[in-house]
Amino acid sequence: MKQFITLVLLIISFLIQVNAQGTSDKPNIIFFSADDLNTNINPLGYTQAKTPNLDKLAEMGITFTNAHAPGVFCAPSRTAIMTGLHASTTGCYNTEVYHYDYPDLTPLHMAFSNNGYKAYGAGKLFHHRAGFMDPRGWEEFFARSQEIKDVGYETGYFGSDVPYPDPHPYSPYYTKTNNIINDGGFLEWGPIANEKAEEIPDAISTNWVCDLLQQEHTDPFFIGLGLYTPHYPNYAPQKYFDLYNRDLIQVPELKVDDLNDIPNPMRQQMINRSRIQQTLEDIDAVKDAIIGYLAAVSFADAMLGRVLDALEASAYKDNTLIIFWSDQGYHQGQKGNWGKHTLWQETSHVPLIFAGNGLPQNKKVNTTVSLIDMYPTLVDLCHLPVQKQLLDGESLISVLQDPASSTDRNVFLPSHDRGSYAVINKDWKYIYYNNGTEEFYDKNNDPNEWYNLAGDNSYRSIIIEMQKSAPAEFHPGATPQSSLELVFDSNGFYHWENKDKSKPAKFVEASVVFSDPITEKNIEFVENSNSTQESYTIQSNKAGQSCRYIQHDRHAYFKVSDQLFSMEDNEMMLELTYFDNGTNLFSMQYNSTSSVVKSIDIYKTNTNKWITKVFMVTDASFNNLQNNQADVRIGGEVYIRSLVIKKHIESLVSVTLTNNIMENGIEFLIGTDPNKETYTQAVTKEDNECRLIPTLSEKTKYGYFSVDNTLITNADNELVFEITYLDQGTTSLLLNYNSLNEKYEKLEIPKNNTNKWMTSAFYVNDAALNNLQNNQSDFRIRGTEYIRRIALRKGVDNEGNTSLSPEQELHSHMLVKVQPVTGGANISVSNDLIGADLYVYNLMGVLQKRQQVNQSEFYIGLGVPQGIYIFVVRSDNGLVSKKVLFLQRWSKSAEI
């Protein structure tokens, strides 16, 4: 009996211990990141930095000496880390918000919270701008003040409570030049008084995590702590600046002609950037900039030390894994750059240390890994279920168990410029730019990447092999953050909405897809099984896709539904998906208004990929005149996957900008003088004749359009603009139209750089097309744009409905006026907006005041210093109004 009681007590003691530490088979995780931290730390062989706690962490575990970032600056790198997916998979190359485009993805913290962990977060784990923190799945995400929550968890050096050096700015980059500091604080550094050290946001976040480690946790935990340091501004307590003697500082070794073998346009970009290095040299501030950075690194190291001490004093020290990482590195003059955004080693090479939870101690792994490997590694280490997304990285669990077993591999690093990338291993680095230029470096003999060997054909076989590690396709860019609006609900939670009013235009469509069996929609395909006939084609499979093979002397014939497409439907979009193998020519032919068959020649370029091309024609006449009573035919040799034929819904007026411009109720102003703003160019782009509105240095160019006043009058206020344009670049397309207020109103279409022809439609309810713009026009489009077609219809919205949606009804008569007066402003709103919320921000984005609109006219007292302020009204449907005003404290001022 006594032995039985002893056994029971032992079991209870074990269960209590397991309960206190979470579980015995699920380790706790501390996910600790620094921002813009390059390899200037002792564990990676840099001897100038004072980093005793990183030294301690390296002794506790495994240091990966050849780890590389999955992105070239904060936003895409952190998106890749938190989703486990490269930008080439998601399209998040820049500042796109992954949880807007991919709400069904499981980010890393949710993988834990979905599987028995409590997830806690603090600081910069995501991009630091407001709204980038994914708010789902956290037990708590720490914000040090209501102000931080109100703006959407801005996690940079931001807020009304942050301390600054005295003077501010402190850096000689500003005090000894005419440079003006912005809110990013680029190349700003300086000491914070030691007595204010605990007011620095990173210290506050770190202390919160330390307190969290002292609490009792009955479930395993995932704690993410993201420091903003050593990101600029390099602010740290004075005592960390005092660690460094200026006379002993060694600056990076630079090669004078380092840019000579870099291909354009990167070479030109770095030549421009190198003026920053020259400025620092001119004012003798290079050493000071290095000290500012190292002081910030030592401050980050001290924050790590606090967490290590708190963990050591906790009940969880034996069952917790610590991962230390940085999102990307930072150039300090190398290649002419102070910054990141490159594919060179100063950006790509980063710290990565795993320690604790029984891992081998004081080990180094010199083989190549990527930070995108952290997600799948944690899935294996913490026994998380396989995620629904197929992760791009590779698990490092076998290396963590036996560091000596590590073998080298290629790792992939996409650029923020879609289609450009690097492939890296311990011996070589290959860089490809989307303009076809290359760089190639021998890492063993040229660790500084000074000598570009891409032009030496003796390395071509290695380059070809490394190219295989890049994806065959790069996902089109996701929705640009600039086209989104951050929307808060009444509980302070936020989400993103698209602020663009445009939607894809409506089309009547017919299609055939050569799946097996063939799927047809309003197209009759002539399927001939007689191999001697001209219309004989073969059901096939190419690159994993069911398709139709057309031999070189055969044709595929298509008859379009006469119920949907008549002889009068002349403007058509023909969308063909084909396999681009070989270099032969094939053609697509269609019946035209001239009663002859027109031919579109398509040249293959042997990419061995499936390609979709869109061809717009203005002279179609589908009247069953070809062989087999067909309207369209395709002549081989080619594999085709699908054919889609579309026509726009009926528009009242339109203009198609071919070389022979076709007008239907719209007059387009053709300007031929390059010195005039009306100058445009007739060009062919992506196989389509169109008009280029160029960007030239002499003067901004516009395409001007005047509408037939007998068809659309200035009393026709509700209109739909339909625009067919080339989606190239990321600068929004802008259209200005005459409005009821006798001003140019602006329509804006964000672009995603898909390099495809797109058609978008805008509904407006305040049009007054009365020839008031320059050149007696009604609307204009600003360059640089390739425009194919403009069309207008009236009386319906862009869904083809005659009635307005509730959101459009709200937009049709909402009105906000803000009149500056002494000490504040008078606000007047339409009655519909009673119950909406008014926010007032300063130019730093700090919320000054927030109140609910409870009457149509009211006064808001601000008691703020004079300056520029932003008044924002939000309703349940999102942003209603944004007014920017200059307020003087004691006198009336004007709206700007």
Side-chain angles (χ1 to χ4, degrees), residues 408-419:
D408 200 50
R409 78 178 210 266
N410 292 337
V411 299
F412 168 69
L413 168 58
S415 171
H416 62 300
D417 191 10
R418 177 175 177 258

Side-chain angles (χ1 to χ4, degrees), residues 35-47:
D35 197 357
D36 286 0
L37 177 59
N38 57 27
T39 55
N40 291 357
I41 58 174
N42 283 348
L44 294 178
Y46 183 84
T47 58

Side-chain angles (χ1 to χ4, degrees), residues 427-444:
D427 297 320
W428 312 101
K429 175 179 278 187
Y430 171 66
I431 296 174
Y432 175 83
Y433 297 107
N434 58 18
N435 64 356
T437 58
E438 300 171 306
E439 296 177 44
F440 185 69
Y441 297 102
D442 180 344
K443 298 293 293 180
N444 294 313

Side-chain angles (χ1 to χ4, degrees), residues 126 162 356 476 488 705 807 855:
F126 305 88
V162 295
F488 294 82
F705 302 85
E807 180 177 359
Q855 54 189 349

Side-chain angles (χ1 to χ4, degrees), residues 189-428:
W189 63 82
I192 302 295
N194 288 330
E195 59 269 22
K196 293 185 177 181
E198 300 308 311
E199 299 175 24
I200 296 175
D202 283 342
I204 297 172
S205 296
T206 300
N207 291 340
W208 180 81
V209 167
C210 292
D211 290 342
L212 192 63
L213 287 170
Q214 303 311 308
Q215 298 174 18
E216 180 179 350
H217 298 276
T218 57
D219 298 301
F221 54 74
F222 170 89
I223 299 175
L225 172 58
L227 302 185
Y228 191 61
T229 192
H231 191 292
Y232 279 122
N234 290 158
Y235 293 153
Q238 178 71 58
K239 59 185 177 182
Y240 298 107
F241 279 82
D242 294 341
L243 293 174
Y244 297 96
N245 183 336
R246 190 180 192 278
D247 294 336
L248 300 178
I249 289 295
Q250 298 295 314
V251 301
E253 183 180 4
L254 306 181
K255 186 172 181 285
V256 175
D257 59 350
D258 195 9
L259 298 176
N260 286 2
D261 57 0
I262 304 302
N264 276 326
M266 182 57 74
R267 179 173 179 268
Q268 190 58 51
Q269 290 178 22
M270 291 302 107
I271 289 173
N272 295 337
R273 291 282 291 176
S274 64
R275 288 178 293 186
I276 298 169
Q277 171 72 14
Q278 187 60 54
T279 297
L280 292 174
E281 291 177 4
D282 290 345
I283 62 176
D284 191 25
V286 177
K287 285 190 174 183
D288 301 292
I290 299 299
I291 289 175
Y293 185 82
L294 291 176
V297 170
S298 292
F299 174 53
D301 180 81
M303 297 304 98
L304 173 65
R306 290 186 185 186
V307 173
L308 294 180
D309 290 345
L311 178 63
E312 179 65 26
S314 75
Y316 316 105
K317 63 178 182 179
D318 296 325
N319 190 37
T320 298
L321 177 69
I322 306 167
I323 304 103
F324 181 90
W325 55 277
S326 173
D327 51 358
Q328 78 286 308
Y330 206 85
H331 290 246
Q332 294 175 323
Q334 299 94 335
K335 289 282 193 296
N337 190 30
W338 277 85
K340 41 207 176 185
H341 296 86
T342 79
L343 294 165
W344 296 311
Q345 66 165 353
E346 286 78 21
T347 290
S348 72
H349 197 180
V350 292
L352 178 62
I353 303 174
F354 283 74
N357 196 44
L359 292 182
Q361 296 185 3
N362 202 24
K363 300 294 183 182
K364 290 185 183 294
V365 173
N366 299 321
T367 51
T368 317
V369 298
S370 170
L371 265 60
I372 206 165
D373 300 333
M374 292 192 293
Y375 193 141
T377 302
L378 288 169
V379 168
D380 286 348
L381 281 170
C382 302
H383 312 294
L384 306 178
V386 176
Q387 302 307 301
K388 54 188 172 185
Q389 68 257 38
L390 183 62
L391 302 177
D392 284 336
E394 295 186 14
S395 174
L396 304 176
I397 189 168
S398 63
V399 182
L400 295 178
Q401 294 168 343
D402 179 13
S405 69
S406 177
T407 58
D408 200 50
R409 78 178 210 266
N410 292 337
V411 299
F412 168 69
L413 168 58
S415 171
H416 62 300
D417 191 10
R418 177 175 177 258
S420 299
Y421 64 88
V423 176
I424 309 161
N425 59 44
K426 67 182 179 64
D427 297 320
W428 312 101

Side-chain angles (χ1 to χ4, degrees), residues 685-686 690 724-729 733 751 754-758 784-788:
K685 195 71 175 176
E686 301 295 315
C690 58
T724 300
Y725 60 97
L726 184 64
D727 181 38
Q728 187 177 75
L733 183 152
K751 291 187 295 184
T754 63
N755 287 309
K756 295 181 180 179
W757 286 98
M758 309 285 283
T784 301
E785 302 296 346
Y786 293 93
I787 304 297
R788 172 69 177 180

Side-chain angles (χ1 to χ4, degrees), residues 749-824:
I749 302 178
K751 291 187 295 184
N752 295 320
N753 199 31
T754 63
N755 287 309
K756 295 181 180 179
W757 286 98
M758 309 285 283
T759 301
S760 291
F762 274 100
Y763 167 78
V764 303
N765 51 32
D766 59 349
L769 304 187
N770 47 11
N771 311 111
L772 288 182
Q773 290 201 31
N774 292 351
N775 305 291
Q776 292 76 54
S777 66
D778 293 307
F779 62 92
R780 68 182 184 180
I781 296 175
R782 190 174 77 187
T784 301
E785 302 296 346
Y786 293 93
I787 304 297
R788 172 69 177 180
R789 179 179 180 269
I790 304 286
L792 278 80
R793 58 184 186 272
K794 61 182 181 181
V796 294
D797 66 14
N798 59 359
E799 292 291 338
N801 303 317
T802 55
S803 60
L804 304 181
S805 69
E807 180 177 359
Q808 288 165 337
E809 288 176 359
L810 183 64
H811 279 290
S812 70
H813 55 267
M814 61 180 54
L815 181 65
V816 178
K817 291 183 179 179
V818 183
Q819 180 63 41
V821 295
T822 300

